Each structure stands twice: as C-alpha cells, then as structure tokens.
C-alpha cells in the first residue's frame, strides 16, 4: 500500500542557498514533503558563509547585510527568532554612502582630513544618488552613465574647488561601486539605477554570535529528514522531450543526473543555482536545451565581483571609537584619469589596492578589519597569494 508521501509530487531542488532553502520550506508549509535538495558544496547556504576563525563570534565571509525591515522576510525571521545583534552595532543608516562620526579619513600622506570637509562632500554625494534613484534628473541626461552624471553635478557644485573635495568625491564613487557591485560607476547606466526597489528602514550588518548561519539553521530545521544532500553536483537535467532519459523513470517527467551517476526522478525541478553557474553550464545542464529566449537572457545578464579582505591584528591600533579607517587616494582606477581606456588595465594591476576605499571594524571582532574591493581589481586581487595581499593592505 502506497504511503501518502509516495502519492505526492516528487520535487527536486537544485542548489541549497537561501533561494533553494526558501523554496523547500515553502513547499513543506503547504504539505509537500516528497522533496530533495541537491547541493554541490559540502554545506548549505550558497553565498552565505558564516565562519568562526577567531573564537565563538561569527565572521561573515559571504552575505553581510539585511537591507531594510518593512516587508523583509529575513528581517522578520531574525526578529522572531531573537537572532538580531545588540543595538550598539546592528543598525546602519541606509543612505547611499554611510559615514559615521567615527570614520577616520586619511589622505595618501597620512593626514587626517577634517570631518567637516568629509561631511560636506558625502552629503552632496548622498543627495545626488537619491536624485538618481528617484530618477529626478533632466531627460537629456538619460543616456549618461552614473559616473558621468555624478562628475557633471559635482563640477557645478560650490564645493568642487575646496581642498580634498575631489579626492573625497572619488572615495564616494569607489564606495558606491561596492553597493552596486559594479566595476565602475562609468559602466553603470543612469536610467537603470532607479529600478532597484529599496525596503524601508535601517539595514543590519550583524546577526549576533550565530551570524547568518542562524537564519540558515531555521530553514534547514524545517526540511524533511535526509532531504538535504550535499556533495551532489548536478550533471544534467533531463526534462520532457529528452532522448536520454532512463525508461525506468518514465512515470516522472524529469530526471536529474548527478556527476557521481546517481539519478533523481522528479515531477518538478526547481533550479536555484547562481547566474554565474548558469552562464558557465546552461548549454550542457539541460537536455533538451533551454528555449532560445532563456539562453539569450542568461548570456545577456551580467553581475559584478565584490570581495572582502579580512585583516586580523594581535591588538587594535585604532581608537576605541573608530568605526572605520577610510583611505582617500589622490588618483585611482575610479577617477576619470585612472579610468581612461589606455591606462585602466595597467592601473588595475599595479594599483589594485586603490579600489579599496578603506577598512571597517568588524562587529564582535575588536582586532579585525574588513576591506571591500570590486570589479576587475577584485578579480586580480583574488589571483595573488594571501601573503602579498596582506602585506600590501598593511602597508
């Protein structure tokens, strides 16, 4: 006699990041228990990766922020489960460029820049980014890049000639590249930025000692027993019309074949792998191939590179009230001069570190700093030995 589970549709979910886990727990809530999640890595979470290298406090190698509160299911889940961090470091202003009174800005000569100078420029930059996000600009600017518009408006401002203002403005653009996950603001379309929907409320940069793994555990605990299968990279999804499907599973419309040869027959397959994975493998992952329109969409869609660099010291050399050490370069790859076509490859390689706007203090890790780097400079940094990256950053 067949069990109730046997009568249910068989669902295979490829990828156990937040998307895959969210899909699985949603199905479970609606009574679908006959499912399996296939994850290529040895862990669930995808781009969420909580690490504890320096003790019991969490260090996020992957996702770092919960953006906004209203209508944000991750925030609601963290709040209901008591996973939010203490008030002293959980809330961050959601302005386009967030600068606190405890951010210390230095120029290349090691001079500490007056906070009033920094605030004037960062406030202007924040106002300009708000205009862009609200698409509050002249119609004739629509074809411009974000970088071109920012430079144009900055040149018209009454602070553009002030000492250090141009260099601080370049710092703002480098910082914004991290938020937009782009290589340069000159490659970002002015007309497209306003399509991003921001959720209301502050965003959170820490989830206490459990980190984002605490949220993952909430979802994993809701899964049916033995439904999460790690170390299971998928080789091919044989769906309706495939000529290579195993005839023994013909009662199911899809057959998922893993690289180790194990097969998972299914009535439905949910694919939650990253865009990068699809770009690399979509042409061979599906049999028959995806429709032409979907393949073209995968090829056209782009994404940026954002990397973190953690520096751990034996003890802090920065003041107790310091939230971050920001570095104002006189010229870098994000400036128009540094971005010129003829010199940009050279500058990315020889001055990759100038894409790091600064190093921020890490919640719950008093002796650790975190720097952010984006674009081709980040990709180049990732090819270098850790020791070289560390030496350059400390210098």
């Amino acid at each position: 006699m067949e069990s109730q589970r046997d009568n249910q549709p068989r669902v295979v979910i490829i990828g156990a990041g937040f998307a895959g886990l969210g899909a699985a727990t949603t199905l479970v809530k609606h009574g679908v228990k006959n499912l399996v999640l296939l994850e290529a890595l040895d862990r669930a979470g995808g781009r969420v990766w909580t690490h504890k290298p320096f003790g019991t406090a969490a260090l996020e190698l992957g996702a770092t922020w919960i953006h906004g509160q209203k209508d944000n299911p991750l925030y609601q889940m963290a709040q209901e489960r008591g996973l939010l961090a203490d008030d002293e470091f959980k809330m961050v202003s959601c302005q386009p460029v967030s600068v606190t009174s405890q951010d210390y800005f230095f120029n290349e000569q090691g001079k500490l820049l007056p906070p009033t100078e920094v605030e004037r420029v960062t406030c202007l930059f924040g106002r300009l980014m708000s205009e862009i996000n609200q698409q509050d600009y002249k119609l004739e600017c629509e074809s411009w890049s974000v970088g071109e518009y920012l430079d144009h408006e900055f040149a018209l401002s009454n602070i553009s000639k002030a000492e250090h203002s141009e260099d601080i403005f370049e710092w703002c653009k480098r910082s914004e590249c991290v938020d937009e996950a782009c290589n340069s603001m000159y490659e970002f379309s002015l007309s497209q930025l306003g399509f991003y929907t921001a959720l209301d409320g502050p965003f959170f940069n820490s989830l206490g000692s459990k980190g984002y793994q605490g949220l993952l555990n909430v979802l994993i605990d809701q899964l049916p027993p033995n439904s999460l299968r790690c170390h299971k990279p998928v080789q091919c999804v044989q769906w309706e019309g495939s000529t290579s499907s195993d005839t023994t599973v013909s009662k199911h419309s899809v057959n998922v074949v893993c690289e180790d040869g194990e097969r998972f027959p299914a009535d439905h397959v949910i694919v939650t792998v990253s865009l990068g994975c699809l770009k690399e493998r979509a042409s061979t992952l599906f049999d028959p191939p995806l429709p032409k329109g979907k393949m073209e969409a995968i090829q056209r869609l782009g994404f940026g590179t954002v990397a973190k660099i953690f520096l751990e010291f034996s003890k802090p050399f920065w003041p107790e009230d310091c939230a971050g050490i920001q570095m104002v370069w006189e010229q870098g790859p994000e400036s128009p001069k540094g971005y010129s076509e003829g010199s940009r490859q050279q500058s990315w390689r020889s001055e990759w570190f100038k894409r790091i706007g600064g190093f921020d203090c890490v919640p719950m890790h008093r002796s650790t700093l975190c720097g952010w780097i984006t674009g081709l400079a980040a990709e180049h940094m990732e090819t270098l030995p850790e020791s070289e990256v560390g030496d350059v950053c400390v210098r």
Side-chain angles (χ1 to χ4, degrees):
M1 188 172 180
E2 288 187 339
S3 66
Q4 183 180 1
R5 179 180 173 121
D6 293 332
N7 289 326
Q8 287 185 342
R10 165 83 159 184
V11 180
V12 173
I13 300 172
I14 302 175
F18 259 118
L21 292 171
T25 54
T26 300
L27 290 171
V28 170
K29 288 177 183 176
H30 288 81
V32 178
K33 304 291 181 67
N34 191 11
L35 57 84
V36 61
L37 287 88
L38 302 178
E39 170 55 52
L41 300 178
D42 60 355
R43 59 177 180 83
R47 283 172 291 222
V48 172
W49 190 3
T50 301
H51 192 40
K52 296 186 177 181
F54 312 136
T56 58
L59 191 71
E60 302 295 351
L61 301 186
T64 306
W65 309 97
I66 291 182
H67 291 256
Q69 301 177 14
K70 186 178 179 182
D71 300 326
N72 189 330
L74 289 181
Y75 170 77
Q76 293 167 1
M77 186 190 307
Q79 185 181 47
E80 291 169 1
R81 304 285 175 147
L83 297 174
L84 295 176
D86 294 335
D87 288 339
E88 62 179 290
F89 55 72
K90 76 179 180 182
M91 272 191 280
V92 180
S93 167
C94 49
Q95 294 299 317
V97 174
S98 176
V99 176
T100 72
S101 58
Q102 290 80 35
D103 276 300
Y104 288 75
F105 283 73
F106 294 89
N107 65 11
E108 286 192 46
Q109 286 71 46
K111 177 186 176 182
L112 180 64
L113 301 183
T116 52
E117 290 185 12
V118 174
E119 186 175 0
R120 278 200 301 269
V121 179
T122 55
C123 285
L124 170 64
F125 188 88
R127 178 175 61 79
L128 294 176
M129 288 305 302
S130 294
E131 291 175 0
I132 294 172
N133 284 307
Q134 295 167 15
Q135 298 187 316
D136 181 19
Y137 48 78
K138 295 178 181 178
L139 190 61
E140 57 262 32
C141 302
E142 195 171 33
S143 62
W144 294 10
S145 71
V146 175
E148 289 172 321
Y149 180 80
L150 290 171
D151 290 345
H152 178 265
E153 295 299 307
F154 175 70
L156 295 177
S157 70
N158 57 8
I159 64 172
S160 60
K161 304 303 181 183
E163 188 180 12
H164 307 303
S165 63
E166 184 177 353
D167 295 334
I168 297 170
F169 199 74
E170 293 301 320
W171 176 90
C172 291
K173 287 192 287 185
R174 282 193 291 274
S175 178
E176 189 67 26
C177 283
V178 174
D179 281 357
E180 308 302 343
C182 62
N183 184 59
S184 169
M185 300 312 293
Y186 298 98
E187 294 181 352
F188 209 107
S189 171
L190 181 66
S191 62
Q192 299 300 304
L193 195 58
F195 287 116
Y196 180 82
T197 301
L199 300 180
D200 292 337
F203 57 88
F204 291 70
N205 68 337
S206 181
L207 288 183
S209 61
K210 294 182 180 179
Y212 278 82
Q213 185 63 46
L215 283 178
L216 291 175
N217 291 341
V218 171
L219 298 178
I220 292 171
D221 290 345
Q222 298 175 42
L223 299 177
N226 303 317
S227 59
L228 176 59
R229 306 284 296 276
C230 293
H231 291 292
K232 280 290 180 184
V234 171
Q235 183 181 62
C236 186
V237 179
Q238 299 169 345
W239 57 304
E240 291 177 343
S242 172
T243 58
S244 54
S245 293
D246 191 332
T247 55
T248 61
V249 295
S250 58
K251 68 175 183 176
H252 296 282
S253 59
V254 195
N255 194 30
V256 179
V257 183
C258 292
E259 291 183 0
D260 61 5
E262 188 171 1
R263 295 170 178 265
F264 293 85
D267 299 297
H268 305 281
V269 174
I270 301 175
V271 181
T272 70
V273 301
S274 67
L275 176 58
C277 180
L278 284 177
K279 281 182 171 293
E280 183 179 346
R281 302 191 54 201
S283 60
T284 60
L285 187 60
F286 302 95
D287 178 22
L290 292 177
K292 181 182 177 182
K294 292 190 183 295
M295 289 298 297
E296 290 177 347
I298 291 170
Q299 292 165 4
R300 286 197 305 263
L301 282 170
F303 60 93
T305 300
V306 179
K308 300 180 188 178
I309 303 171
F310 288 101
L311 303 176
E312 186 202 15
F313 298 89
S314 57
K315 60 181 181 180
F317 60 82
W318 49 92
E320 184 73 27
D321 68 346
C322 179
I325 302 167
Q326 310 305 334
M327 297 177 289
V328 179
W329 305 104
E330 293 177 359
Q331 180 179 328
E334 182 58 20
S335 68
K337 290 179 288 186
Y339 187 74
S340 63
E341 189 69 34
S343 65
R344 63 180 185 170
Q345 185 67 26
Q346 176 69 22
S347 65
W348 279 329
R349 291 188 177 278
S350 63
E351 297 185 327
W352 62 266
F353 53 89
K354 288 191 175 182
R355 290 307 299 263
I356 305 173
F359 286 87
D360 301 323
C361 297
V362 180
M364 298 177 293
H365 293 276
R366 182 71 185 100
S367 302
T368 304
L369 297 175
C370 176
W372 296 75
I373 184 170
T374 61
L376 295 181
E379 295 176 25
H380 174 67
M381 180 276 295
E382 290 175 345
T383 68
L384 303 176
E386 272 193 15
S387 57
E388 181 178 343
V389 173
D391 289 344
V392 168
C393 290
V394 172
R395 183 177 74 244

